[in-house]
Amino acid sequence: MRQVTDHGGGVRSIRVPIPDNPLGYTLVYVLDTDRGPVLVDTGWDDPESWETLADGLAECGTSPSEIHGVVITHHHPDHHGLSGRVREASGAWVAMHEADASIVRRTRGTRPERWFTYMTDKLTAAGAPEEHVAPLRTAHPRALPGLSPALPDREIVPGELLDLAGRRLRAIWTPGHTPGHVCLHLEENHPAQLPGMGRLFSGDHLLPEITPHIGLYEDPDDATVMDPLGDYLDSLERIGRLAPAEVLPAHQHAFTDAPSRVRELLTHHESRLTDLLSLLTAPLTPWQLAERMEWNRPWDQIPYPSRNIAVSEAEAHLRRLVKLGRAEAVTGSDPVTYVAV
């Protein structure tokens, strides 16, 4: 499989591997500008990933030391992991939306023990059994990856053009997958003259065949109740109305007809919410709901870390149902259970 793809018009992508992950790789985009190449995302912080990125840049006629800037779609380690190393090699600036930058600052500033305590409390409140929670009570801090992600030094402001000499790249805030996820609209004619409004670097917001994870990214010291699934669905509709000629996602492959893919995802989530209501004829905790939801494999085959992600997604769906008035928490239940109304 080729590591570098030329998308035309001064845009290339490099397949940067994600170790031990079914996604396989992150597509890191190299955007030519009048001041030097700019990366959209950087890939996972791993020696093989770094070597692949460097080799890919060489194939593009450049190197890590020549990178002018880094634009991050969101803070996840398969997107932001190598940003610090790229900056060390080149002096490049690193830009990110403030909502995700605040998560980066919180991650760097919070003791690992605090996170394990928070995760233990959250899972217990979600109804996780003791045998699942117990390992977190004795977990070693090194078990948490990505404890020191690079601090961005520029803020991506939604609606504004990024400062890229010779290019028109506009930020579109698309919260949901993360609070500060951004898509990046390249407001230039498609090099193959495909019909539509330019090209869109979609990060994980819009993928050709995968439904992005919608979970919770909350400050342990902030009691604000978020609705990430509602945010995601609203963001999807905005991207559908944009109707770019081509979507350049962070995983899988480039594709056209974004409005059709948006409709598929909106239909998928509406169908899933309806299915969950049928499960909530009797009160269930978020953990019990996650056990009964449809995943890409049976619950007993889902590995430990992925179960935490699944419960987070179940809770995000519950919050959407509650906000829509289609479900409610059962008064006095502990751990809290939810039922359809």
Side-chain angles (χ1 to χ4, degrees), residues 7 47 53 68 108 120 124 177-178 187 218 233 259 263 295 298 301 325 340:
H7 299 274
L53 178 63
H68 173 62
R108 291 172 60 94
T120 299
T124 300
H177 183 60
T178 70
E187 298 179 339
E218 297 176 321
L233 298 176
R263 287 193 297 272
W295 304 104
Q301 296 177 23

mmCIF file with all atom_site columns, all heavy atoms in Angstrom, residues 7 47 53 68 108 120 124 177-178 187 218 233 259 263 295 298 301 325 340:
data_model
loop_
_atom_site.group_PDB
_atom_site.id
_atom_site.type_symbol
_atom_site.label_atom_id
_atom_site.label_alt_id
_atom_site.label_comp_id
_atom_site.label_asym_id
_atom_site.label_entity_id
_atom_site.label_seq_id
_atom_site.pdbx_PDB_ins_code
_atom_site.Cartn_x
_atom_site.Cartn_y
_atom_site.Cartn_z
_atom_site.occupancy
_atom_site.B_iso_or_equiv
_atom_site.pdbx_formal_charge
_atom_site.auth_seq_id
_atom_site.auth_comp_id
_atom_site.auth_asym_id
_atom_site.auth_atom_id
_atom_site.pdbx_PDB_model_num
ATOM 1   N N   . HIS A 1 7   ? -3.075  14.390  -3.959 1.00 0.00 ? 7   HIS A N   1
ATOM 2   C CA  . HIS A 1 7   ? -4.467  14.744  -4.206 1.00 0.00 ? 7   HIS A CA  1
ATOM 3   C C   . HIS A 1 7   ? -4.592  15.923  -5.169 1.00 0.00 ? 7   HIS A C   1
ATOM 4   O O   . HIS A 1 7   ? -5.707  16.359  -5.460 1.00 0.00 ? 7   HIS A O   1
ATOM 5   C CB  . HIS A 1 7   ? -5.171  15.078  -2.882 1.00 0.00 ? 7   HIS A CB  1
ATOM 6   C CG  . HIS A 1 7   ? -5.191  13.932  -1.920 1.00 0.00 ? 7   HIS A CG  1
ATOM 7   N ND1 . HIS A 1 7   ? -6.170  12.966  -1.931 1.00 0.00 ? 7   HIS A ND1 1
ATOM 8   C CD2 . HIS A 1 7   ? -4.332  13.590  -0.919 1.00 0.00 ? 7   HIS A CD2 1
ATOM 9   C CE1 . HIS A 1 7   ? -5.929  12.084  -0.968 1.00 0.00 ? 7   HIS A CE1 1
ATOM 10  N NE2 . HIS A 1 7   ? -4.828  12.434  -0.350 1.00 0.00 ? 7   HIS A NE2 1
ATOM 11  N N   . PRO A 1 47  ? 7.890   5.583   17.465 1.00 0.00 ? 47  PRO A N   1
ATOM 12  C CA  . PRO A 1 47  ? 9.061   5.619   16.571 1.00 0.00 ? 47  PRO A CA  1
ATOM 13  C C   . PRO A 1 47  ? 8.741   5.225   15.133 1.00 0.00 ? 47  PRO A C   1
ATOM 14  O O   . PRO A 1 47  ? 9.216   5.869   14.182 1.00 0.00 ? 47  PRO A O   1
ATOM 15  C CB  . PRO A 1 47  ? 10.031  4.627   17.223 1.00 0.00 ? 47  PRO A CB  1
ATOM 16  C CG  . PRO A 1 47  ? 9.676   4.662   18.676 1.00 0.00 ? 47  PRO A CG  1
ATOM 17  C CD  . PRO A 1 47  ? 8.184   4.844   18.713 1.00 0.00 ? 47  PRO A CD  1
ATOM 18  N N   . LEU A 1 53  ? 6.303   9.164   8.909  1.00 0.00 ? 53  LEU A N   1
ATOM 19  C CA  . LEU A 1 53  ? 6.030   10.564  8.593  1.00 0.00 ? 53  LEU A CA  1
ATOM 20  C C   . LEU A 1 53  ? 7.227   11.208  7.907  1.00 0.00 ? 53  LEU A C   1
ATOM 21  O O   . LEU A 1 53  ? 7.083   11.893  6.879  1.00 0.00 ? 53  LEU A O   1
ATOM 22  C CB  . LEU A 1 53  ? 5.666   11.329  9.863  1.00 0.00 ? 53  LEU A CB  1
ATOM 23  C CG  . LEU A 1 53  ? 5.403   12.825  9.686  1.00 0.00 ? 53  LEU A CG  1
ATOM 24  C CD1 . LEU A 1 53  ? 4.205   13.067  8.775  1.00 0.00 ? 53  LEU A CD1 1
ATOM 25  C CD2 . LEU A 1 53  ? 5.171   13.498  11.047 1.00 0.00 ? 53  LEU A CD2 1
ATOM 26  N N   . HIS A 1 68  ? 6.371   24.403  8.222  1.00 0.00 ? 68  HIS A N   1
ATOM 27  C CA  . HIS A 1 68  ? 6.096   25.782  8.638  1.00 0.00 ? 68  HIS A CA  1
ATOM 28  C C   . HIS A 1 68  ? 5.056   25.842  9.756  1.00 0.00 ? 68  HIS A C   1
ATOM 29  O O   . HIS A 1 68  ? 5.162   26.681  10.663 1.00 0.00 ? 68  HIS A O   1
ATOM 30  C CB  . HIS A 1 68  ? 5.598   26.590  7.434  1.00 0.00 ? 68  HIS A CB  1
ATOM 31  C CG  . HIS A 1 68  ? 5.123   27.966  7.774  1.00 0.00 ? 68  HIS A CG  1
ATOM 32  N ND1 . HIS A 1 68  ? 5.936   28.931  8.328  1.00 0.00 ? 68  HIS A ND1 1
ATOM 33  C CD2 . HIS A 1 68  ? 3.889   28.550  7.653  1.00 0.00 ? 68  HIS A CD2 1
ATOM 34  C CE1 . HIS A 1 68  ? 5.244   30.046  8.530  1.00 0.00 ? 68  HIS A CE1 1
ATOM 35  N NE2 . HIS A 1 68  ? 4.008   29.835  8.135  1.00 0.00 ? 68  HIS A NE2 1
ATOM 36  N N   . ARG A 1 108 ? -2.137  17.763  30.778 1.00 0.00 ? 108 ARG A N   1
ATOM 37  C CA  . ARG A 1 108 ? -0.755  17.984  31.220 1.00 0.00 ? 108 ARG A CA  1
ATOM 38  C C   . ARG A 1 108 ? -0.687  18.366  32.700 1.00 0.00 ? 108 ARG A C   1
ATOM 39  O O   . ARG A 1 108 ? 0.290   18.049  33.381 1.00 0.00 ? 108 ARG A O   1
ATOM 40  C CB  . ARG A 1 108 ? -0.109  19.089  30.382 1.00 0.00 ? 108 ARG A CB  1
ATOM 41  C CG  . ARG A 1 108 ? 0.138   18.702  28.934 1.00 0.00 ? 108 ARG A CG  1
ATOM 42  C CD  . ARG A 1 108 ? 0.598   19.906  28.117 1.00 0.00 ? 108 ARG A CD  1
ATOM 43  N NE  . ARG A 1 108 ? 1.823   20.481  28.631 1.00 0.00 ? 108 ARG A NE  1
ATOM 44  C CZ  . ARG A 1 108 ? 3.056   20.182  28.200 1.00 0.00 ? 108 ARG A CZ  1
ATOM 45  N NH1 . ARG A 1 108 ? 3.204   19.317  27.226 1.00 0.00 ? 108 ARG A NH1 1
ATOM 46  N NH2 . ARG A 1 108 ? 4.111   20.753  28.710 1.00 0.00 ? 108 ARG A NH2 1
ATOM 47  N N   . THR A 1 120 ? -12.735 5.990   37.970 1.00 0.00 ? 120 THR A N   1
ATOM 48  C CA  . THR A 1 120 ? -13.364 5.044   38.894 1.00 0.00 ? 120 THR A CA  1
ATOM 49  C C   . THR A 1 120 ? -14.733 5.544   39.321 1.00 0.00 ? 120 THR A C   1
ATOM 50  O O   . THR A 1 120 ? -15.725 4.797   39.303 1.00 0.00 ? 120 THR A O   1
ATOM 51  C CB  . THR A 1 120 ? -12.466 4.836   40.132 1.00 0.00 ? 120 THR A CB  1
ATOM 52  O OG1 . THR A 1 120 ? -11.209 4.293   39.712 1.00 0.00 ? 120 THR A OG1 1
ATOM 53  C CG2 . THR A 1 120 ? -13.116 3.890   41.127 1.00 0.00 ? 120 THR A CG2 1
ATOM 54  N N   . THR A 1 124 ? -18.302 3.813   38.266 1.00 0.00 ? 124 THR A N   1
ATOM 55  C CA  . THR A 1 124 ? -19.159 3.352   39.355 1.00 0.00 ? 124 THR A CA  1
ATOM 56  C C   . THR A 1 124 ? -20.542 3.985   39.251 1.00 0.00 ? 124 THR A C   1
ATOM 57  O O   . THR A 1 124 ? -21.568 3.310   39.388 1.00 0.00 ? 124 THR A O   1
ATOM 58  C CB  . THR A 1 124 ? -18.526 3.681   40.713 1.00 0.00 ? 124 THR A CB  1
ATOM 59  O OG1 . THR A 1 124 ? -17.244 3.030   40.805 1.00 0.00 ? 124 THR A OG1 1
ATOM 60  C CG2 . THR A 1 124 ? -19.406 3.220   41.864 1.00 0.00 ? 124 THR A CG2 1
ATOM 61  N N   . HIS A 1 177 ? -17.288 14.771  18.240 1.00 0.00 ? 177 HIS A N   1
ATOM 62  C CA  . HIS A 1 177 ? -16.253 13.750  18.455 1.00 0.00 ? 177 HIS A CA  1
ATOM 63  C C   . HIS A 1 177 ? -15.322 14.201  19.577 1.00 0.00 ? 177 HIS A C   1
ATOM 64  O O   . HIS A 1 177 ? -14.904 13.392  20.407 1.00 0.00 ? 177 HIS A O   1
ATOM 65  C CB  . HIS A 1 177 ? -15.503 13.529  17.147 1.00 0.00 ? 177 HIS A CB  1
ATOM 66  C CG  . HIS A 1 177 ? -14.461 12.460  17.205 1.00 0.00 ? 177 HIS A CG  1
ATOM 67  N ND1 . HIS A 1 177 ? -14.738 11.148  17.516 1.00 0.00 ? 177 HIS A ND1 1
ATOM 68  C CD2 . HIS A 1 177 ? -13.122 12.513  16.981 1.00 0.00 ? 177 HIS A CD2 1
ATOM 69  C CE1 . HIS A 1 177 ? -13.627 10.439  17.486 1.00 0.00 ? 177 HIS A CE1 1
ATOM 70  N NE2 . HIS A 1 177 ? -12.627 11.243  17.167 1.00 0.00 ? 177 HIS A NE2 1
ATOM 71  N N   . THR A 1 178 ? -14.965 15.459  19.583 1.00 0.00 ? 178 THR A N   1
ATOM 72  C CA  . THR A 1 178 ? -14.342 16.135  20.726 1.00 0.00 ? 178 THR A CA  1
ATOM 73  C C   . THR A 1 178 ? -14.967 17.527  20.807 1.00 0.00 ? 178 THR A C   1
ATOM 74  O O   . THR A 1 178 ? -15.535 18.011  19.824 1.00 0.00 ? 178 THR A O   1
ATOM 75  C CB  . THR A 1 178 ? -12.808 16.279  20.587 1.00 0.00 ? 178 THR A CB  1
ATOM 76  O OG1 . THR A 1 178 ? -12.520 17.233  19.568 1.00 0.00 ? 178 THR A OG1 1
ATOM 77  C CG2 . THR A 1 178 ? -12.133 14.957  20.269 1.00 0.00 ? 178 THR A CG2 1
ATOM 78  N N   . GLU A 1 187 ? -10.947 26.681  0.486  1.00 0.00 ? 187 GLU A N   1
ATOM 79  C CA  . GLU A 1 187 ? -11.832 27.442  -0.400 1.00 0.00 ? 187 GLU A CA  1
ATOM 80  C C   . GLU A 1 187 ? -11.137 27.757  -1.722 1.00 0.00 ? 187 GLU A C   1
ATOM 81  O O   . GLU A 1 187 ? -10.867 28.903  -2.065 1.00 0.00 ? 187 GLU A O   1
ATOM 82  C CB  . GLU A 1 187 ? -12.286 28.729  0.297  1.00 0.00 ? 187 GLU A CB  1
ATOM 83  C CG  . GLU A 1 187 ? -13.087 28.482  1.566  1.00 0.00 ? 187 GLU A CG  1
ATOM 84  C CD  . GLU A 1 187 ? -13.515 29.766  2.245  1.00 0.00 ? 187 GLU A CD  1
ATOM 85  O OE1 . GLU A 1 187 ? -12.879 30.822  1.989  1.00 0.00 ? 187 GLU A OE1 1
ATOM 86  O OE2 . GLU A 1 187 ? -14.460 29.727  3.048  1.00 0.00 ? 187 GLU A OE2 1
ATOM 87  N N   . GLU A 1 218 ? -14.969 15.599  29.863 1.00 0.00 ? 218 GLU A N   1
ATOM 88  C CA  . GLU A 1 218 ? -15.440 16.539  30.861 1.00 0.00 ? 218 GLU A CA  1
ATOM 89  C C   . GLU A 1 218 ? -14.355 16.839  31.880 1.00 0.00 ? 218 GLU A C   1
ATOM 90  O O   . GLU A 1 218 ? -13.508 15.993  32.188 1.00 0.00 ? 218 GLU A O   1
ATOM 91  C CB  . GLU A 1 218 ? -16.691 15.984  31.546 1.00 0.00 ? 218 GLU A CB  1
ATOM 92  C CG  . GLU A 1 218 ? -17.841 15.821  30.561 1.00 0.00 ? 218 GLU A CG  1
ATOM 93  C CD  . GLU A 1 218 ? -19.073 15.185  31.176 1.00 0.00 ? 218 GLU A CD  1
ATOM 94  O OE1 . GLU A 1 218 ? -18.914 14.271  31.985 1.00 0.00 ? 218 GLU A OE1 1
ATOM 95  O OE2 . GLU A 1 218 ? -20.178 15.604  30.836 1.00 0.00 ? 218 GLU A OE2 1
ATOM 96  N N   . LEU A 1 233 ? -24.602 16.082  15.844 1.00 0.00 ? 233 LEU A N   1
ATOM 97  C CA  . LEU A 1 233 ? -25.650 16.081  14.817 1.00 0.00 ? 233 LEU A CA  1
ATOM 98  C C   . LEU A 1 233 ? -25.829 17.470  14.219 1.00 0.00 ? 233 LEU A C   1
ATOM 99  O O   . LEU A 1 233 ? -26.007 17.612  12.999 1.00 0.00 ? 233 LEU A O   1
ATOM 100 C CB  . LEU A 1 233 ? -26.953 15.562  15.420 1.00 0.00 ? 233 LEU A CB  1
ATOM 101 C CG  . LEU A 1 233 ? -26.911 14.113  15.936 1.00 0.00 ? 233 LEU A CG  1
ATOM 102 C CD1 . LEU A 1 233 ? -28.231 13.742  16.600 1.00 0.00 ? 233 LEU A CD1 1
ATOM 103 C CD2 . LEU A 1 233 ? -26.563 13.134  14.827 1.00 0.00 ? 233 LEU A CD2 1
ATOM 104 N N   . PRO A 1 259 ? -23.013 15.423  1.319  1.00 0.00 ? 259 PRO A N   1
ATOM 105 C CA  . PRO A 1 259 ? -24.400 15.453  1.817  1.00 0.00 ? 259 PRO A CA  1
ATOM 106 C C   . PRO A 1 259 ? -25.022 14.065  1.977  1.00 0.00 ? 259 PRO A C   1
ATOM 107 O O   . PRO A 1 259 ? -25.756 13.822  2.933  1.00 0.00 ? 259 PRO A O   1
ATOM 108 C CB  . PRO A 1 259 ? -25.132 16.285  0.756  1.00 0.00 ? 259 PRO A CB  1
ATOM 109 C CG  . PRO A 1 259 ? -24.083 17.191  0.204  1.00 0.00 ? 259 PRO A CG  1
ATOM 110 C CD  . PRO A 1 259 ? -22.841 16.339  0.164  1.00 0.00 ? 259 PRO A CD  1
ATOM 111 N N   . ARG A 1 263 ? -26.387 12.434  5.458  1.00 0.00 ? 263 ARG A N   1
ATOM 112 C CA  . ARG A 1 263 ? -27.729 11.869  5.631  1.00 0.00 ? 263 ARG A CA  1
ATOM 113 C C   . ARG A 1 263 ? -27.666 10.457  6.201  1.00 0.00 ? 263 ARG A C   1
ATOM 114 O O   . ARG A 1 263 ? -28.471 10.077  7.064  1.00 0.00 ? 263 ARG A O   1
ATOM 115 C CB  . ARG A 1 263 ? -28.482 11.879  4.296  1.00 0.00 ? 263 ARG A CB  1
ATOM 116 C CG  . ARG A 1 263 ? -28.947 13.262  3.859  1.00 0.00 ? 263 ARG A CG  1
ATOM 117 C CD  . ARG A 1 263 ? -29.941 13.193  2.718  1.00 0.00 ? 263 ARG A CD  1
ATOM 118 N NE  . ARG A 1 263 ? -29.366 12.618  1.504  1.00 0.00 ? 263 ARG A NE  1
ATOM 119 C CZ  . ARG A 1 263 ? -28.740 13.338  0.577  1.00 0.00 ? 263 ARG A CZ  1
ATOM 120 N NH1 . ARG A 1 263 ? -28.569 14.655  0.738  1.00 0.00 ? 263 ARG A NH1 1
ATOM 121 N NH2 . ARG A 1 263 ? -28.259 12.760  -0.508 1.00 0.00 ? 263 ARG A NH2 1
ATOM 122 N N   . TRP A 1 295 ? -22.716 -3.340  18.869 1.00 0.00 ? 295 TRP A N   1
ATOM 123 C CA  . TRP A 1 295 ? -21.357 -2.877  18.592 1.00 0.00 ? 295 TRP A CA  1
ATOM 124 C C   . TRP A 1 295 ? -20.807 -3.697  17.442 1.00 0.00 ? 295 TRP A C   1
ATOM 125 O O   . TRP A 1 295 ? -21.517 -4.544  16.883 1.00 0.00 ? 295 TRP A O   1
ATOM 126 C CB  . TRP A 1 295 ? -20.473 -2.995  19.842 1.00 0.00 ? 295 TRP A CB  1
ATOM 127 C CG  . TRP A 1 295 ? -21.031 -2.272  21.040 1.00 0.00 ? 295 TRP A CG  1
ATOM 128 C CD1 . TRP A 1 295 ? -21.660 -2.820  22.127 1.00 0.00 ? 295 TRP A CD1 1
ATOM 129 C CD2 . TRP A 1 295 ? -21.048 -0.853  21.261 1.00 0.00 ? 295 TRP A CD2 1
ATOM 130 N NE1 . TRP A 1 295 ? -22.057 -1.841  23.014 1.00 0.00 ? 295 TRP A NE1 1
ATOM 131 C CE2 . TRP A 1 295 ? -21.704 -0.629  22.521 1.00 0.00 ? 295 TRP A CE2 1
ATOM 132 C CE3 . TRP A 1 295 ? -20.581 0.249   20.545 1.00 0.00 ? 295 TRP A CE3 1
ATOM 133 C CZ2 . TRP A 1 295 ? -21.883 0.646   23.047 1.00 0.00 ? 295 TRP A CZ2 1
ATOM 134 C CZ3 . TRP A 1 295 ? -20.762 1.516   21.075 1.00 0.00 ? 295 TRP A CZ3 1
ATOM 135 C CH2 . TRP A 1 295 ? -21.411 1.693   22.319 1.00 0.00 ? 295 TRP A CH2 1
ATOM 136 N N   . PRO A 1 298 ? -19.617 -8.845  19.790 1.00 0.00 ? 298 PRO A N   1
ATOM 137 C CA  . PRO A 1 298 ? -20.389 -9.091  21.017 1.00 0.00 ? 298 PRO A CA  1
ATOM 138 C C   . PRO A 1 298 ? -19.707 -8.472  22.233 1.00 0.00 ? 298 PRO A C   1
ATOM 139 O O   . PRO A 1 298 ? -18.471 -8.346  22.280 1.00 0.00 ? 298 PRO A O   1
ATOM 140 C CB  . PRO A 1 298 ? -20.419 -10.618 21.116 1.00 0.00 ? 298 PRO A CB  1
ATOM 141 C CG  . PRO A 1 298 ? -20.178 -11.106 19.724 1.00 0.00 ? 298 PRO A CG  1
ATOM 142 C CD  . PRO A 1 298 ? -19.270 -10.089 19.101 1.00 0.00 ? 298 PRO A CD  1
ATOM 143 N N   . GLN A 1 301 ? -16.675 -9.906  23.869 1.00 0.00 ? 301 GLN A N   1
ATOM 144 C CA  . GLN A 1 301 ? -15.429 -9.872  23.093 1.00 0.00 ? 301 GLN A CA  1
ATOM 145 C C   . GLN A 1 301 ? -14.821 -8.474  23.019 1.00 0.00 ? 301 GLN A C   1
ATOM 146 O O   . GLN A 1 301 ? -13.770 -8.287  22.408 1.00 0.00 ? 301 GLN A O   1
ATOM 147 C CB  . GLN A 1 301 ? -15.694 -10.390 21.675 1.00 0.00 ? 301 GLN A CB  1
ATOM 148 C CG  . GLN A 1 301 ? -16.110 -11.851 21.610 1.00 0.00 ? 301 GLN A CG  1
ATOM 149 C CD  . GLN A 1 301 ? -16.424 -12.304 20.201 1.00 0.00 ? 301 GLN A CD  1
ATOM 150 O OE1 . GLN A 1 301 ? -15.951 -11.707 19.223 1.00 0.00 ? 301 GLN A OE1 1
ATOM 151 N NE2 . GLN A 1 301 ? -17.229 -13.356 20.068 1.00 0.00 ? 301 GLN A NE2 1
ATOM 152 N N   . GLY A 1 325 ? -36.496 14.808  25.676 1.00 0.00 ? 325 GLY A N   1
ATOM 153 C CA  . GLY A 1 325 ? -37.696 14.461  26.416 1.00 0.00 ? 325 GLY A CA  1
ATOM 154 C C   . GLY A 1 325 ? -38.201 13.059  26.131 1.00 0.00 ? 325 GLY A C   1
ATOM 155 O O   . GLY A 1 325 ? -39.369 12.745  26.389 1.00 0.00 ? 325 GLY A O   1
ATOM 156 N N   . ALA A 1 340 ? -37.407 4.987   29.299 1.00 0.00 ? 340 ALA A N   1
ATOM 157 C CA  . ALA A 1 340 ? -38.095 5.726   28.237 1.00 0.00 ? 340 ALA A CA  1
ATOM 158 C C   . ALA A 1 340 ? -39.365 6.365   28.769 1.00 0.00 ? 340 ALA A C   1
ATOM 159 O O   . ALA A 1 340 ? -40.014 5.839   29.675 1.00 0.00 ? 340 ALA A O   1
ATOM 160 C CB  . ALA A 1 340 ? -38.421 4.791   27.075 1.00 0.00 ? 340 ALA A CB  1
#
